[in-house]
Amino acid sequence: MAEKITTYYSYVLALTIILLLFGLALGPLAPIDEPTYFPGYDLQIPVGLSFSGFILLIIFIISVILFWGSKNIFLNVLIDASSLSFSIVNYINFYLVYVIWKPIMYLLPFFFYIRYDGISTLVFDFGQIALIIFFYRLYKNIKTRRTYKSV
């Protein structure tokens, strides 16, 4: 049984890499007019990464809504891989925000507290939700030693 779980998560990692490459390839398609407002910063990379994260978030939400509870291995791999790929891009994006503007950032449960130039805000963190779903499914798969039907 452990072999089936490790094989399943090797598929998840492979599809995560494919989804990351797909999402990052769509990043340059993001419409950007920030250089007119922030002439001192090159925001093409963070805006493109945010756009990639949005695409991966949409893939994650749609796959969870449509395919949760499916016995098909590919659909379950898609749910887990989309959650991982979105979380990776999400936290890289928060890191870039930190590197570019140097705000004060605190990771809170389900939120990021960001303080910049005297202004504070709470930003809802979808990456934590995606990671919670991923680890819940991982725990459930290990506990029940679930096997999926092949495609």
Side-chain angles (χ1 to χ4, degrees):
M1 284 296 180
E3 295 169 355
K4 292 182 180 182
I5 291 174
T6 56
T7 303
Y8 173 80
Y9 283 101
S10 64
Y11 292 149
V12 168
L13 288 177
L15 188 58
T16 298
I17 292 169
I18 292 169
L19 285 173
L20 279 171
L21 293 175
F22 172 73
L24 293 175
L26 294 177
L29 300 176
I32 181 168
D33 62 348
E34 277 79 3
T36 59
Y37 300 112
F38 302 104
Y41 299 105
D42 180 20
L43 299 178
Q44 183 65 41
I45 293 174
V47 171
L49 198 61
S50 294
F51 184 71
S52 298
F54 174 73
I55 297 297
L56 294 172
L57 177 63
I58 295 301
I59 292 171
F60 170 66
I61 290 172
I62 290 172
S63 65
V64 165
I65 290 172
L66 294 180
F67 306 128
W68 189 275
S70 173
K71 299 295 182 195
N72 187 319
I73 189 170
F74 177 73
L75 299 178
N76 284 288
V77 166
L78 179 64
I79 292 170
D80 291 337
S82 63
S83 69
L84 271 182
S85 62
F86 168 69
S87 295
I88 291 168
V89 170
N90 183 50
Y91 291 116
I92 291 173
N93 193 30
F94 276 117
Y95 175 74
L96 281 179
V97 166
Y98 177 76
V99 167
I100 291 173
W101 286 290
K102 305 276 192 258
I104 297 170
M105 297 177 74
Y106 296 110
L107 181 63
L108 303 171
F110 304 111
F111 291 96
F112 263 100
Y113 172 79
I114 301 174
R115 183 168 178 81
Y116 180 73
D117 202 20
I119 299 172
S120 300
T121 186
L122 281 176
V123 177
F124 188 74
D125 185 15
F126 287 103
Q128 289 182 35
I129 302 299
L131 284 176
I132 288 169
I133 289 173
F134 175 78
F135 286 121
Y136 167 76
R137 292 172 56 84
L138 174 68
Y139 172 75
K140 190 171 120 181
N141 285 342
I142 290 172
K143 184 179 174 189
T144 62
R145 298 184 188 263
R146 175 176 296 208
T147 57
Y148 296 102
K149 296 178 186 175
S150 59
V151 178

